[in-house]
């Protein structure tokens, strides 16, 4: 079964310095029908205005991924990491027993556009940790590139969760089909462009929620960038 979650149906918050779309309930946006999907808890599409950002705040017992689309995200945390996250990088922060961090856009004239993703961990109370890796476009072109996994396979970032995350880039003439376990849940988020997922057309911001499906087919992409999640039920 494939259920579409349209971009315009997401929650939205405009804080002036931050504009954020919420795929699932988050902060002041609450929808009991959209509290997450499997162990995927948050996908926020954030745009941070120039010279602004999230001040120091805390997390615990959550696997947090940042996927930057435009601009640069400056990260600083209490476990000693001071990093810039450019497009093409995937950042993983395991909040564990607790971590404080900030995220800023220091550019004077450019917006930072990124996805903030939270996945529920399968272990709690671990020491907080950080990892960041770059995944070139060539590795995602016309296929799905594993970017996050519970075992760090294929050079992906390691998450403490029963989930795998893939990224892909698709244009006209490029298609890709992968088998999935129908006992698990799948989630396809269209980052930009448009593409067909199992024959259904999706555009930027749309998502496909999959249950009891044995495959995911991606085709007819037009400037498409997608994230595909293999999730615990």
């Amino acid at each position: 079964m494939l259920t579409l979650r349209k971009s315009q149906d997401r929650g939205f918050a405009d804080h002036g310095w931050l504009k954020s779309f919420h795929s699932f309930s988050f902060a002041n946006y609450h929808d009991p029908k959209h509290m997450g999907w499997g162990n995927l808890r948050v996908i926020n599409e954030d745009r941070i205005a120039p010279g602004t950002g999230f001040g120091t705040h805390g997390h615990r017992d959550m696997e947090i991924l940042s996927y930057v689309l435009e601009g640069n995200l400056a990260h600083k945390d209490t476990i000693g990491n001071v990093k810039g996250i450019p497009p093409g990088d995937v950042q993983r922060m395991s909040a564990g027993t607790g971590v404080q961090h900030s995220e800023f856009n220091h550019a004077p004239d450019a917006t930072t556009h990124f996805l903030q993703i939270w996945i529920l961990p399968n272990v709690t109370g671990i020491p907080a940790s950080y990892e960041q890796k770059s995944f070139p476009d060539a590795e995602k072109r016309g296929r799905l590139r594993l970017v996050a996994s519970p075992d760090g396979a294929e050079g992906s970032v390691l998450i403490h969760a029963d989930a795998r995350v893939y990224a892909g880039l698709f244009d006209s003439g490029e298609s890709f089909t992968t088998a999935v376990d129908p006992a698990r849940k799948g989630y396809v988020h269209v980052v930009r462009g448009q593409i067909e997922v199992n024959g259904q057309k999706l555009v930027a911001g749309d998502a496909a929620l999959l249950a009891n499906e044995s495959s995911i087919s991606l085709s007819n992409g037009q400037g498409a960038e997608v994230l595909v999640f293999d999730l615990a039920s």
Side-chain angles (χ1 to χ4, degrees):
M1 182 179 69
L2 184 153
T3 303
L4 291 182
R5 172 77 159 141
K6 301 297 289 182
S7 175
Q8 63 267 26
D9 296 331
R10 296 178 293 175
F12 178 68
D14 186 346
H15 300 287
W17 64 274
L18 170 70
K19 293 178 173 58
S20 182
F21 288 96
H22 307 313
S23 294
F24 304 110
S25 294
F26 187 87
N28 293 328
Y29 167 62
H30 180 75
D31 181 347
K33 294 181 180 179
H34 296 96
M35 297 299 297
W37 184 246
N39 52 347
L40 176 61
R41 178 62 187 85
V42 168
I43 296 184
N44 289 346
E45 182 181 0
D46 292 343
R47 289 176 173 85
I48 305 175
T52 67
F54 299 91
T56 301
H57 60 284
H59 299 282
R60 64 183 303 120
D61 288 329
M62 189 64 70
E63 296 296 298
I64 300 172
L65 300 174
S66 295
Y67 190 91
V68 176
L69 306 175
E70 296 173 339
N72 194 291
L73 186 66
H75 168 97
K76 183 178 182 180
D77 63 42
T78 50
I79 52 176
N81 297 290
V82 180
K83 301 283 188 178
I85 309 168
D89 279 21
V90 174
Q91 175 229 50
R92 181 269 300 170
M93 186 174 69
S94 298
T97 52
V99 62
Q100 299 275 324
H101 78 137
S102 61
E103 295 164 303
F104 273 87
N105 171 17
H106 293 304
D109 55 3
T111 297
T112 293
H113 180 196
F114 79 108
L115 297 180
Q116 177 185 174
I117 300 161
W118 294 9
I119 301 174
L120 296 170
N122 54 9
V123 291
T124 58
I126 61 174
S129 62
Y130 182 99
E131 188 178 14
Q132 182 176 332
K133 291 187 175 182
S134 179
F135 299 92
D137 285 357
E139 297 182 4
K140 297 176 279 189
R141 171 58 55 198
R143 63 183 292 265
L144 293 178
R145 171 58 159 105
L146 184 66
V147 297
S149 69
D151 54 5
E154 300 175 27
S156 59
V157 299
L158 188 149
I159 53 175
H160 303 88
D162 183 7
R164 285 176 169 79
V165 185
Y166 302 81
L169 301 170
F170 297 89
D171 277 315
S172 179
E174 297 173 332
S175 62
F176 189 85
T177 299
T178 184
V180 292
D181 183 347
R184 294 172 65 80
K185 289 187 173 180
Y187 191 91
V188 181
H189 183 89
V190 180
V191 176
R192 51 185 147 209
Q194 64 182 50
I195 197 167
E196 290 184 10
V197 179
N198 290 10
Q200 297 285 321
K201 180 180 176 181
L202 279 71
V203 300
D206 290 352
L209 292 74
L210 299 104
N212 302 312
E213 293 282 338
S214 59
S215 66
I216 296 175
S217 178
L218 304 167
S219 60
N220 295 320
Q222 296 182 28
E225 183 168 3
V226 299
L227 290 178
V228 176
F229 298 79
D230 172 15
L231 302 161
S233 296

